[in-house]
Amino acid sequence: MKKLIILAMLLLPTFAMAQSEWERPAKSESQPRKALFEKKNKTVDPKYLAGAVPEVDGKVCFTLDLDAPGKSAQQIYDTVYAILEQMTKEEKQFEQSQIALVNKADHMIAAKYREWLVFKSTALALDRTVFNYTIIANCSDGHLNLTLSRISYAYELDRYDSEGLETSAEEWITDKEALNKAKTKLNKVSGKFRRKTIDRKDEIFANITEALKK
């Protein structure tokens, strides 16, 4: 017992010194608990908001008015025809997609499309709608006027647990139908149709614009 007391007395200064070097770590500045669970407000790209879906006489109609200096009406016609024809062969197109009518004398083309518009595609889920629209191209020397209109959707008609949805752009993706009252956000359901329709229109118009600038 005496030996243990003496050993403890010998070790005490060492332990005390070591203990004096210990301290509590400084607390890191973390977010308040409430902030951790708050949803971040997502900013919507203005290109999807007010005015992004134009209407002509109450009908949704996207227009590409493009100057093509130095190109004849026939050259513009041939270029646009080739792009519209190629579109009918894309993977997401239905058999009904086709160039329906042409007026070679006036350099006009009318094409109808029925394709899949995909909202989300993962290994576990596929969310998409049938997307119908018409493109009319009017070609003249140095200029192209092209419209994308007569838009409609057929959504989830083949699901056994859903009645699905058949609707037109006028009833579904206009400012009135697809935006909140303040016109700062997209509505949850119709908003995704508006967003993807605008994206697809932008893609088509960009391809035609690029081809005519070459």
Side-chain angles (χ1 to χ4, degrees):
M1 183 67 177
K2 187 175 181 179
K3 289 182 178 181
L4 290 175
I5 293 173
I6 293 171
L7 180 62
M9 290 177 69
L10 290 172
L11 293 175
L12 183 59
T14 303
F15 177 75
M17 180 179 67
Q19 189 178 40
S20 68
E21 294 175 356
W22 286 79
E23 61 183 27
R24 290 182 179 275
K27 290 185 177 180
S28 60
E29 295 183 3
S30 57
Q31 287 182 297
R33 182 176 177 81
K34 182 180 178 182
L36 294 174
F37 295 95
E38 287 179 347
K39 291 183 178 180
K40 293 183 178 180
N41 291 326
K42 293 183 179 180
T43 302
V44 180
D45 190 323
K47 80 171 189 173
Y48 301 117
L49 297 179
V53 177
E55 296 179 62
V56 178
D57 297 329
K59 300 294 183 181
V60 171
C61 181
F62 296 101
T63 301
L64 175 64
D65 244 340
L66 182 66
D67 288 329
K71 293 186 183 294
S72 67
Q74 187 62 48
Q75 288 174 313
I76 295 173
Y77 176 94
D78 291 341
T79 299
V80 174
Y81 186 97
I83 293 173
L84 298 182
E85 174 67 17
Q86 182 59 39
M87 281 174 56
T88 67
K89 302 172 183 177
E90 292 174 350
E91 183 180 356
K92 294 176 183 177
Q93 298 291 333
F94 285 75
E95 291 183 1
Q96 295 94 326
S97 296
Q98 61 178 315
I99 292 182
L101 294 168
V102 296
N103 184 327
K104 294 181 180 180
D106 292 332
H107 303 99
M108 296 180 67
I109 309 166
K112 298 179 67 176
Y113 296 92
R114 183 177 178 86
E115 65 184 53
W116 287 115
L117 194 63
V118 180
F119 304 123
K120 182 179 180 180
S121 179
T122 67
L124 299 176
L126 177 60
D127 187 18
R128 62 184 182 177
T129 185
V130 175
F131 178 44
N132 303 293
Y133 59 95
T134 296
I135 289 179
I136 296 177
N138 190 343
C139 311
S140 56
D141 291 338
H143 190 78
L144 168 68
N145 177 274
L146 181 143
T147 60
L148 191 159
S149 61
R150 300 180 184 177
I151 299 169
S152 65
Y153 310 93
Y155 182 58
E156 294 192 341
L157 298 183
D158 56 346
R159 281 185 53 170
Y160 70 92
D161 60 343
S162 171
E163 293 182 0
L165 170 74
E166 286 188 281
T167 188
S168 66
E170 291 75 26
E171 298 171 328
W172 202 235
I173 67 164
T174 59
D175 287 4
K176 179 182 177 182
E177 302 298 336
L179 300 180
N180 64 350
K181 289 184 179 180
K183 301 194 185 313
T184 57
K185 295 181 181 179
L186 296 171
N187 291 336
K188 187 174 182 180
V189 180
S190 59
K192 70 180 182 181
F193 286 76
R194 180 182 173 105
R195 185 190 299 271
K196 287 298 183 179
T197 298
I198 292 171
D199 287 347
R200 178 57 171 150
K201 177 268 299 182
D202 285 349
E203 179 185 22
I204 294 169
F205 284 10
N207 289 341
I208 293 172
T209 300
E210 182 180 355
L212 288 177
K213 285 185 176 180
K214 291 180 179 178

